[in-house]
Amino acid sequence: MTPSILKSYDINRDTMAIVPAYSSDYDTIVYETDHTYYVKELSLSMIERACKEGGATYGGRRDAVGDLINVSSKVPIPIDPLNHIFAFPTHSPSKFECIWIFYHHIHTFKKASNQTLITFMNYHQLTVDVSHAAFEKQVQRTSFCIVRLTQRPVERKRRLEYV
């Protein structure tokens, strides 16, 4: 049975992962907390559109975060920081095998051979073709990004008080 295929997909707070599809009928599989969607749109296109809807370009967010946390590859993206939507790529976003993982949905992750098994908050599991160490590094980068972006106004206020 052929699944229902969407023309495009809007990233939201329920988006857990965006996975490339090895299908001629659709480009991506999107996992949400309660649904799975098959979409005829590339993952990076979804990410870029969501960033613009959140008020900035993908490139702008990528550059800003890269400078902020001092990384140049596989940069976490604050897609919509006001709604706590942060994602990170498992590979270079230009590579077909790149999967986008949405930080706040991760419950646990563990080593599974040379891969990583992610368990999301809803207990859905996804195995990604990334070493546990590389995945953990991406989780830490994203966590650091979130801390830097959410604490920045407080730090700025403190500097003004002590100068």
Side-chain angles (χ1 to χ4, degrees):
M1 184 169 118
T2 306
S4 296
I5 300 170
L6 302 175
K7 182 179 177 184
S8 64
Y9 173 81
D10 293 327
I11 292 169
N12 60 73
R13 287 186 51 84
D14 291 332
T15 309
M16 299 188 313
I18 301 175
V19 180
Y22 295 88
S23 170
S24 58
D25 296 330
Y26 48 90
D27 299 310
T28 354
I29 302 168
V30 178
Y31 295 102
E32 279 193 358
T33 53
D34 294 324
H35 294 74
T36 299
Y37 296 102
Y38 302 88
V39 187
K40 190 80 175 157
E41 180 181 17
L42 296 173
S43 58
L44 190 54
S45 172
M46 293 178 206
I47 300 283
E48 289 172 340
R49 191 164 31 81
C51 286
K52 280 185 184 173
E53 289 169 1
T57 64
Y58 167 80
R61 290 193 187 280
R62 186 190 180 289
D63 291 347
V65 170
D67 290 348
L68 190 66
I69 66 172
N70 197 30
V71 297
S72 60
S73 64
K74 297 195 290 185
V75 177
I77 302 296
I79 293 172
D80 187 348
L82 294 176
N83 286 304
H84 305 284
I85 303 175
F86 294 82
F88 61 87
T90 58
H91 296 79
S92 167
S94 63
K95 296 202 180 262
F96 177 80
E97 62 268 19
C98 179
I99 296 172
W100 287 89
I101 304 295
F102 289 73
Y103 179 85
H104 286 94
H105 288 283
I106 299 170
H107 180 59
T108 62
F109 58 95
K110 65 181 181 179
K111 186 176 182 171
S113 254
N114 286 342
Q115 299 175 314
T116 301
L117 175 66
I118 306 164
T119 302
F120 293 99
M121 293 292 188
N122 67 351
Y123 297 102
H124 175 81
Q125 293 187 319
L126 179 66
T127 301
V128 293
D129 196 18
V130 177
S131 73
H132 183 270
F135 190 86
E136 185 172 45
K137 185 175 185 177
Q138 285 302 91
V139 168
Q140 290 170 347
R141 284 178 169 179
T142 308
S143 175
F144 188 50
C145 167
I146 293 167
V147 167
R148 289 296 308 267
L149 289 176
T150 58
Q151 291 186 351
R152 196 180 63 204
V154 173
E155 291 171 2
R156 190 179 315 129
K157 183 178 177 187
R158 284 189 187 133
R159 276 190 296 222
L160 291 173
E161 290 173 354
Y162 293 108
V163 172

